[in-house]
Amino acid sequence: PADAMLLTKGQRYTWSEIIDETGADGSPPYYLLHRDGKVVAGCFTLELNPEAPLVVLAGDGPQVREWADLFCVQTGSIPVCVKSGLGEWLCCGNFRLVRSSTDPAEIARHSAQARRSDVYKLLFLQEEGG
C-alpha cells in the first residue's frame, strides 16, 4: 500500500529523518506527526507515556485534542517511535488504534503512573500483525 511502513522496526532515527521519511509537515503537536489532515506517525517519550507504545496519554492542549480525535477516526496503522536517547527515536513498528478512552477513572489510573494531570484521552495501540 501507499502508506506502507517507511520506518523500520528496531532502527533508530533522528527527528529530521522521521520527518523526511513520513513526509510529516513538522508542525505541532509533535507526538502525532501529520500531513494533509492525516496522522502519519506517532512519536512518544516514556516520561510522558510510560506505557508507550501500547498506551498513549493525549494531553489537553487544543491542537493535541484535535489530532488525538482525528487519529481516533482514522483507519490503518502508523509507524510508532519512542524516544530512546539524546536526539534518537527507536521505531517500535507499525501500530493501529484499538480503542480510546475518556473515562476519568481509567485516565486517573494511567496518569498516576506518568505523574500527569493534563490527560484528555487515552489511546490504546496494538502492533499491526502483532
Side-chain angles (χ1 to χ4, degrees):
D3 61 349
M5 183 185 244
L6 309 160
L7 301 172
T8 306
K9 182 175 179 175
Q11 292 292 311
R12 294 175 194 278
Y13 297 91
T14 64
W15 183 252
S16 54
E17 285 170 338
I18 293 171
I19 299 283
D20 290 348
E21 288 296 317
T22 60
D25 64 19
S27 67
Y30 301 114
Y31 82 108
L32 288 176
L33 293 175
H34 49 275
R35 175 185 76 231
D36 305 329
K38 190 174 192 292
V39 175
V40 294
C43 292
F44 310 115
T45 63
L46 293 174
E47 292 79 37
L48 295 176
N49 301 282
E51 300 166 272
L54 299 176
V55 184
V56 176
L57 287 66
D60 205 11
Q63 288 169 309
V64 178
R65 275 177 175 254
E66 180 190 344
W67 285 102
D69 291 342
L70 275 168
F71 182 57
C72 287
V73 297
Q74 175 176 314
T75 56
S77 60
I78 58 167
V80 168
C81 299
V82 170
K83 192 157 195 185
S84 65
L86 203 58
E88 276 197 332
W89 297 81
L90 175 68
C91 181
C92 300
N94 253 11
F95 288 75
R96 61 187 164 77
L97 184 75
V98 193
R99 72 182 185 94
S100 64
S101 172
T102 52
D103 174 55
E106 200 169 15
I107 286 177
R109 211 165 45 244
H110 289 278
S111 299
Q113 202 176 341
R115 297 186 181 83
R116 287 177 64 187
S117 58
D118 66 333
V119 178
Y120 151 66
K121 184 180 254 186
L122 301 171
L123 306 174
F124 295 91
L125 308 182
Q126 185 176 28
E127 190 172 357
E128 201 62 276

